[in-house]
Amino acid sequence: MFAKKNHRLIAGILLLVLVMIGVSGYRYESKRTPEYAMQALMTGIAERDEKTIARYADIDAIAASAYDESTAILARDIEELHAMYPQDWFFCHDTAFMEQYIAERRTQDLALMQRAWSLFLQPDAIVSNADDMDDAAFVAKEAQDIVPHYKADLLTVTPEKDGAQASALVEITGDSSAYGQLVPKMQLKLTLLRQPDGQYRVVRIANVAENFAPVVKGIEDYCTMKGIQ
């Protein structure tokens, strides 16, 4: 049961990556610009084009950095989280316990996230029978249900002066449904690095800390909605 609660956090982190869906109004001729990379990535995610996504985003690096930053906040602020959500026994531990628990689970959790992402891109591979569904399939299936209730808009793309790095700001907005109101609105600040071939690639979410509290609230509301204890 305790591990199941940790998967709520994993699903929330994964959602930060998955909801970068929707085609913005950007259109660029040059393929070696961060604007083009963001446009291609968002289109690739919308179309579940694994090859395009891999070219313009390092999903493993994004997931690992988001996981590490989120779980560090989780361990640091565990007492505050317990005070905010006293009904959630997942938060009934201290920082030392959480740090050890996270360290022991990191490899397993990242593997789960990787498999869930792969299944999300190949929905036909998700087992429909709940009794046969493993944790990764469960996360992917829930993501399939949640993601259509969100849209993404690419607000800005800002290259650094040296041209080796850029940042992008994507705004995520939920619709009026129960799913869409789990996290009604948030912004993702993404870091892109220029690759040896001149293309840009997203490598991390730069504002995980900013989104931690609303995502945790969304996860708590999701569990209440689903009757998950």
Side-chain angles (χ1 to χ4, degrees), residues 79-87 213:
E79 292 183 6
E80 180 180 339
L81 289 165
H82 176 55
M84 292 176 64
Y85 305 105
Q87 78 285 358

Side-chain angles (χ1 to χ4, degrees), residues 192-212:
L192 299 90
L193 293 182
R194 190 175 184 181
Q195 305 301 302
D197 64 357
Q199 301 279 5
Y200 284 81
R201 199 175 188 216
V202 177
V203 296
R204 69 184 293 263
I205 299 170
N207 65 333
V208 170
E210 177 184 312
N211 287 308
F212 181 83

